[in-house]
Amino acid sequence: MSNKSLALPHNELTILVTGGAGFIGSHTCIELLGQNYNVVIVDDLSNSSKIAVERIRELSGADENQLVFYECNILDREGLETVFSKHAIDAIIHFAGFKAVGESTQKPLEYYWNNVAGSLVLFDVARNHGVKNVIFSSSATVYGDPEMIPITEECPLHEATNPYGETKAMMERILTDFYRADSEWNVVLLRYFNPIGAHESGRIGEDPKDIPNNLLPYVAQVAVGKLERIGVFGNDYPTKDGTGVRDYIHVVDLATGHVAAIKYAAAHSGSIAINLGTGVGYSVLDMISAFSRAVGKEIPYTIDARRPGDIAECYADPKLAYDLLGWKAVHTLDDMCADSWRWQQQNPYGYSDKEA
Ligand code: UD1
């Protein structure tokens, strides 16, 4: 099966979404179903919940044929064989993977095993079934401390400072080599900036298992009263207010970027890396005040030491995504904060009904 098959009407196409119950995966499933693609989710639920799948069904109105869920780890070759035998998969959006930077430095073997070996098992089974269209969930982390701001895709890649980042860089390289060896592979590497926000319904969103590592989920938990205050990691960076600047992007924009990438892959073959960001950078203090506006009360914070490995500034040049995919982010910072807050308020314990 070549990428030509992706040119069929959407309702005749089936997209395998690994990690489809996760934060970005669940929002992407909604957008795919909204455009009439059939979706097969493979997720081991190690950092997600079956309830997310139920809510994808509720929000999309998908029936048992349009949306199928398998609880399966990507290292499970037999499980994947079953999925590929039962469904004529046309393309894979590969999200499944461990993603905590700090944890990856403690558990490198688990990170490389799951994210790299798991991906190899997935792509081996896919290839055996003739499936070579892949959209891969990469990260701006591959640019390391970026040599240019805004960051274009031409920006040189830098060695990652942690195993999580290294698994993203390795998978980019591996998928590019697949294409170099066999031009039937059709690979789009999407480099995400900082996804935040939630579906505007408040039914799906980010559900960190422990204390959040990332800024916005942490701020949201302070706002809801689960955590006392947010520590700002350094105010002596060479930025407008001294705090770190990032390109925060609404998760629904990120999700529509994946649908645009599927459409792009239907008309082009090759291997390409594309940034998914807004092109606008906000500081930590900007984010705290935007979230305070959404909540309608001050969020307490203190200025703490820098976090090792952090960079001063990171935001995208999103032009290539617009030129190639016809895609750009449309949600504002206030949308992102309002949607995060709605999700957090309606689901103070995430997908579980009580505190873990
Ligand atoms: C982090 C990862 C990155 C990964 C991304 C996934 C690190 C060093 N980088 O990006 O590899 O791809 O998450 O979403 O972990 N901040 C605070 N207080 C906090 C938390 C964060 O001040 O409690 C600041 C940080 O210093 C940074 C900004 O908020 O300036 C954003 O941090 P975060 O949400 O963790 O994202 P990144 O570090 O950009």
Side-chain angles (χ1 to χ4, degrees):
M1 196 178 307
S2 79
N3 61 316
K4 287 194 191 71
S5 63
L6 285 179
L8 290 169
H10 297 176
N11 63 359
E12 292 177 34
L13 294 172
T14 300
I15 315 297
L16 172 63
V17 184
T18 72
F23 175 42
I24 306 172
S26 57
H27 290 82
T28 300
C29 289
I30 302 268
E31 296 304 317
L32 288 167
L33 291 162
Q35 297 227 4
N36 293 321
Y37 290 98
N38 299 296
V39 171
V40 174
I41 295 176
V42 162
D43 196 306
D44 68 356
L45 303 181
S46 58
N47 190 26
S48 56
S49 164
K50 185 79 192 296
I51 298 170
V53 180
E54 289 162 15
R55 295 199 182 165
I56 294 169
R57 196 178 292 289
E58 161 201 311
L59 290 168
S60 64
D63 67 23
E64 301 294 325
N65 296 318
Q66 289 163 315
L67 174 63
V68 184
F69 170 68
Y70 291 89
E71 184 172 343
C72 175
N73 183 282
I74 51 171
L75 283 155
D76 174 1
R77 179 178 286 272
E78 261 177 49
L80 291 175
E81 271 298 339
T82 305
V83 174
F84 279 89
S85 304
K86 283 198 177 165
H87 302 273
I89 305 292
D90 296 288
I92 304 169
I93 305 183
H94 181 32
F95 293 107
F98 294 156
K99 62 172 187 181
V101 172
E103 183 186 62
S104 78
T105 63
Q106 307 299 318
K107 297 181 172 175
L109 197 153
E110 281 78 5
Y111 270 69
Y112 288 115
W113 189 244
N114 193 61
N115 294 10
V116 180
S119 298
L120 294 178
V121 174
L122 168 70
F123 294 130
D124 187 34
V125 175
R127 177 184 59 176
N128 293 344
H129 287 265
V131 182
K132 298 179 182 175
N133 296 314
V134 180
I135 313 292
F136 179 63
S137 173
S138 189
S139 166
T141 199
V142 298
Y143 298 114
D145 196 348
E147 285 185 28
M148 57 173 87
I149 295 281
I151 304 173
T152 72
E153 292 78 359
E154 302 293 309
C155 184
L157 305 189
H158 284 296
E159 204 172 301
T161 53
N162 57 77
Y164 156 78
E166 197 58 45
T167 66
K168 293 296 178 193
M170 281 182 178
M171 285 315 306
E172 284 205 358
R173 174 65 203 259
I174 288 169
L175 283 161
T176 305
D177 283 346
F178 286 0
Y179 169 72
R180 285 187 184 138
D182 169 2
S183 61
E184 280 187 9
W185 281 95
N186 192 16
V187 176
V188 184
L189 309 167
L190 296 178
R191 295 178 178 156
Y192 314 150
F193 283 70
N194 289 58
I196 61 167
H199 193 264
E200 65 171 355
S201 64
R203 299 292 286 159
I204 58 171
E206 187 168 16
D207 181 18
K209 275 245 177 340
D210 303 308
I211 294 190
N213 300 301
N214 296 113
L215 178 67
L216 246 283
Y218 201 109
V219 168
Q221 294 200 7
V222 173
V224 85
K226 280 178 73 182
L227 296 168
E228 207 177 310
R229 52 160 196 89
I230 173 80
V232 175
F233 295 150
N235 67 349
D236 56 354
Y237 286 104
T239 60
K240 60 175 184 172
D241 60 18
T243 67
V245 167
R246 297 290 183 275
D247 185 337
Y248 296 92
I249 175 167
H250 197 296
V251 64
V252 171
D253 283 330
L254 211 52
T256 61
H258 289 76
V259 180
I262 293 272
K263 291 180 183 165
Y264 173 82
H268 307 82
S269 46
S271 166
I272 188 155
I274 304 177
N275 288 338
L276 292 185
T278 67
V280 181
Y282 290 108
S283 73
V284 177
L285 296 181
D286 287 336
M287 297 308 290
I288 295 174
S289 54
F291 209 84
S292 300
R293 276 200 304 279
V295 173
K297 66 170 190 228
E298 289 301 305
I299 310 276
Y301 70 88
T302 50
I303 305 293
D304 294 350
R306 288 185 180 193
R307 178 172 64 182
D310 271 357
I311 54 176
E313 239 183 349
C314 173
Y315 56 91
D317 179 337
K319 186 172 181 302
L320 189 68
Y322 188 68
D323 290 348
L324 297 186
L325 308 181
W327 169 93
K328 66 177 194 297
V330 295
H331 290 84
T332 65
L333 178 59
D334 286 336
D335 295 335
M336 300 184 217
C337 292
D339 291 339
S340 284
W341 178 231
R342 190 175 305 108
W343 155 256
Q344 184 68 49
Q345 260 183 312
Q346 292 181 15
N347 307 270
Y349 307 113
Y351 290 113
S352 68
D353 51 10
K354 56 183 179 316
E355 197 155 7

